[in-house]
Amino acid sequence: MSFQSLKEIVETAAEQKKSFFRIVLENDMSERMVSEEESFLTMRNMYETMRKADESYDGKMKSASGLVGSDGWKMEEALQAGKTISGGFVGEVMIRALKMGESNACMKRIVAAPTAGSCGVMPAVFLTYQKCFSVSDEKMTEAMFTAAGIGTVIAERAFIAGATGGCQAEIGSASAMAAGGLAYLMGGKEQEIIHACAIALKSLLGLVCDPVAGLVEVPCVKRNVIGAVNAVTSADMAMAGIVSRIPPDEVIDAMRTIGMALPSSLKETGEGGLAATPTGAEIKKKLISNF
Ligand code: SF4
């Protein structure tokens, strides 16, 4: 049975004297009735697919609507030319988040983590960390399990789809998952993991889902960047000993309450927010007339 709270995972880990990721891994083994090797391999393959998606990015591709494409490449050029201010690690995180978001919009193979719209957040953080700190694939897979445990709890207590909870449920959840996984990679224990998650999620509470013309392109691609960078800063805060004053499970509950209070125009219908701006409406009109 899936975990209903982060507290439950943390308490189980303490009782069994195991790490957060191992509790999630063992839960997957019993849920899917697979061996440890099979469970681990499935997750490792998912990480490998993220890596391949990142490596196969094509800077010349454009989405069918023409709204997105080439931004990952532009960001890379800027970083290489020393024109960015946010530093090498964050710069690379930004590049990968843009690339993956664009690849999704261009119908390339990606890993929904937790959704296709938010697919750039986790790989941006994890692949960059591995590249910069030379971590083994095994450790990266453990971070993936850590993130998956967080995602499972969010899905159980709230939601992970923009259509039900707004973008806080997609980019917010992805950011929380990446933050927890990153805290683990940085040497964090259970408390750092769940507080990194809480800090990341609370920072994106209220984010609405307002895709222009109903396409997962604008603002989705760039929101992957903010989700990924937010995960990095949240993990840094948690590793510095900063905690969320609101307990992590209560932050997830707040996300649910906010999501339920959002009007349907701000939940993936493409009727509100940026989609309803004069430019958003104009883009939609043009795209419809082209079909
Ligand atoms: S705006 Fe909506 S469709 Fe786009 S990433 Fe956010 S939740 Fe997904």
Side-chain angles (χ1 to χ4, degrees):
M1 208 179 88
S2 293
F3 292 104
Q4 304 297 311
S5 67
L6 292 171
K7 190 165 169 257
E8 194 185 336
I9 302 181
V10 171
E11 284 175 356
T12 310
E15 270 163 30
Q16 299 184 11
K17 297 194 181 5
K18 291 175 181 167
S19 59
F20 189 101
F21 94 81
R22 180 147 283 283
I23 299 302
V24 180
L25 165 69
E26 289 179 2
N27 186 60
D28 179 55
M29 288 162 58
S30 73
E31 264 197 350
R32 297 195 297 120
M33 292 189 286
V34 293
S35 66
E36 180 169 336
E37 289 70 30
E38 274 176 275
S39 175
F40 207 84
L41 188 65
T42 304
M43 194 61 93
R44 193 173 172 152
N45 285 343
M46 232 177 270
Y47 184 63
E48 193 51 37
T49 305
M50 287 179 176
R51 192 198 329 262
K52 283 190 183 136
D54 175 61
E55 287 169 356
S56 64
Y57 171 79
D58 176 0
K60 292 192 204 79
M61 69 186 172
K62 285 271 176 203
S63 61
S65 69
L67 288 174
V68 299
S70 305
D71 285 350
W73 172 75
K74 280 184 201 157
M75 198 65 229
E76 198 162 23
E77 293 271 291
L79 184 68
Q80 281 169 4
K83 290 181 185 164
T84 63
I85 199 168
S86 50
F89 186 82
V90 169
E92 287 211 26
V93 165
M94 293 168 73
I95 291 165
R96 290 200 168 86
L98 286 167
K99 285 181 173 179
M100 203 65 76
E102 289 180 338
S103 293
N104 175 54
C106 296
M107 303 294 163
K108 306 281 275 188
R109 189 165 188 229
I110 52 92
V111 177
T115 60
S118 58
C119 69
V121 177
M122 273 177 49
V125 173
F126 287 0
L127 292 168
T128 305
Y129 187 87
Q130 187 178 31
K131 185 191 160 207
C132 294
F133 296 95
S134 307
V135 183
S136 67
D137 280 349
E138 188 173 350
K139 185 88 179 171
M140 296 311 301
T141 308
E142 293 172 5
M144 290 281 286
F145 273 109
T146 304
I150 291 167
T152 304
V153 171
I154 296 176
E156 284 293 322
R157 290 181 86 91
F159 15 57
I160 53 166
T164 43
C167 201
Q168 56 167 4
E170 284 201 15
I171 295 290
S173 298
S175 190
M177 292 164 72
L182 182 57
Y184 170 71
L185 289 168
M186 293 166 77
K189 300 290 179 224
E190 282 61 50
Q191 288 307 313
E192 285 90 5
I193 290 168
I194 63 168
H195 281 280
C197 155
I199 294 167
L201 187 59
K202 70 204 284 191
S203 304
L204 294 172
L205 285 183
L207 189 61
V208 303
C209 173
D210 49 357
V212 170
L215 301 170
V216 187
E217 300 187 19
V218 178
C220 317
V221 172
K222 296 184 189 82
R223 277 194 188 155
N224 276 273
V225 175
I226 205 63
V229 173
N230 179 52
V232 173
T233 56
S234 299
D236 265 348
M237 279 192 261
M239 291 306 290
I242 297 170
V243 295
S244 168
R245 294 292 174 207
I246 306 299
D249 288 315
E250 290 184 33
V251 173
I252 298 171
D253 293 345
M255 194 264 268
R256 175 183 162 82
T257 311
I258 294 166
M260 287 170 71
L262 285 176
S264 66
S265 61
L266 299 174
K267 291 197 273 193
E268 216 173 319
T269 51
E271 291 170 357
L274 294 170
T277 57
T279 302
E282 185 59 28
I283 290 171
K284 184 178 177 183
K285 208 168 122 193
K286 260 194 208 146
L287 288 173
I288 289 172
S289 67
N290 287 347
F291 276 106

